């Protein structure tokens, strides 16, 4: 759970940078790639951007929901960065006291504490990022290291990846 606004902001900055690493390893051609039973890379990347307006809007932040399909990696990167920055700015401008995190909001028909919802926003993004890296590998794309070096990064360091 997110216990302070600053906790969320610090984690979000790290996690949004990690998401940008993944998006930036995509190619425009790869956006149509998927594995059976999954969304395409483009749909998943767009979903991450959309969530950055949907979640905050439901939490009462002054962000309007936007559902725009971005058709290139450049568009996705810019849209994600803008949405992430807008989220952080809205939080800074709107929530001045950590007590807000204990307030409940209706999220998808259930009462969620704001601190829990912010944690879920991070976890949701991490979940879809994992899906994306799986599809990326099957599409022959390199995968960036997120919480440690990827196989490609180990090789670039002339080191054998850990088994």
């Amino acid at each position: 759970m997110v216990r302070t606004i600053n906790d969320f902001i610090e984690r979000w900055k790290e996690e949004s940078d990690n998401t940008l690493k993944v998006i930036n390893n995509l190619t425009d051609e790869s956006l149509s790639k998927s594995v059976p039973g999954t969304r395409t890379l483009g749909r998943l990347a767009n979903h991450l951007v959309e969530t950055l307006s949907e979640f905050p809007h439901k939490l009462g932040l002054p962000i309007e929901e936007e559902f725009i399909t971005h058709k290139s990696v450049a568009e996705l990167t810019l849209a994600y960065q803008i949405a992430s920055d807008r989220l952080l700015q809205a939080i800074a401008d709107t929530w001045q006291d950590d007590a807000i995190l204990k307030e409940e909001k209706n999220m998808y028909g259930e009462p969620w504490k704001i601190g829990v919802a912010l944690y879920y926003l991070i976890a949701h993004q991490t979940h879809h990022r994992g899906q994306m890296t799986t599809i990326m590998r099957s599409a022959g794309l390199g995968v960036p290291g997120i919480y440690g070096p990827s196989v490609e990064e180990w090789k670039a360091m002339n080191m054998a990846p850990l088994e």
Side-chain angles (χ1 to χ4, degrees), residues 13-65:
K13 287 178 181 177
E14 293 169 4
E15 294 300 322
S16 64
D17 285 347
N18 288 333
T19 297
L20 283 168
K21 284 183 196 177
V22 171
I23 292 171
N24 284 321
N25 267 41
L26 301 174
T27 63
D28 290 347
E29 298 74 32
S30 73
L31 296 178
S32 63
K33 301 291 185 191
S34 68
V35 296
T38 66
R39 299 172 184 171
T40 65
L41 284 170
R43 183 68 211 113
L44 285 165
N46 273 288
H47 177 61
L48 291 176
V49 174
E50 292 165 354
T51 302
L52 293 186
S53 67
E54 180 186 359
F55 252 66
H57 179 79
K58 289 184 182 306
L59 291 175
L61 289 168
I63 295 175
E64 291 302 313
E65 291 180 283

Side-chain angles (χ1 to χ4, degrees), residues 40-145:
T40 65
L41 284 170
R43 183 68 211 113
L44 285 165
N46 273 288
H47 177 61
L48 291 176
V49 174
E50 292 165 354
T51 302
L52 293 186
S53 67
E54 180 186 359
F55 252 66
H57 179 79
K58 289 184 182 306
L59 291 175
L61 289 168
I63 295 175
E64 291 302 313
E65 291 180 283
E66 292 181 2
F67 299 95
I68 301 167
T69 300
H70 304 283
K71 298 185 187 289
S72 72
V73 174
E75 287 177 15
L76 284 160
T77 299
L78 181 60
Y80 181 88
Q81 187 64 64
I82 289 170
S84 180
D85 291 347
R86 184 173 39 212
L87 168 66
L88 292 176
Q89 191 62 55
I91 289 172
D93 292 347
T94 309
W95 295 338
Q96 307 305 315
D97 188 326
D98 292 333
I100 191 84
L101 301 176
K102 294 180 181 175
E103 288 186 18
E104 290 185 344
K105 295 289 182 174
N106 181 340
M107 297 291 286
Y108 311 101
E110 298 177 353
W112 292 5
K113 290 186 178 175
I114 290 174
V116 171
L118 291 174
Y119 166 77
Y120 287 164
L121 179 60
I122 292 170
H124 173 264
Q125 177 174 254
T126 303
H127 162 72
H128 288 305
R129 220 172 41 216
Q131 289 177 319
M132 291 174 73
T133 58
T134 299
I135 298 167
M136 289 167 70
R137 248 208 228 286
S138 74
L141 296 175
V143 173

Side-chain angles (χ1 to χ4, degrees), residues 143-162:
V143 173
I146 300 296
Y147 301 115
S150 67
V151 170
E152 295 84 358
E153 291 169 336
W154 280 109
K155 289 178 181 175
M157 295 184 287
N158 294 316
M159 297 175 72
L162 298 175

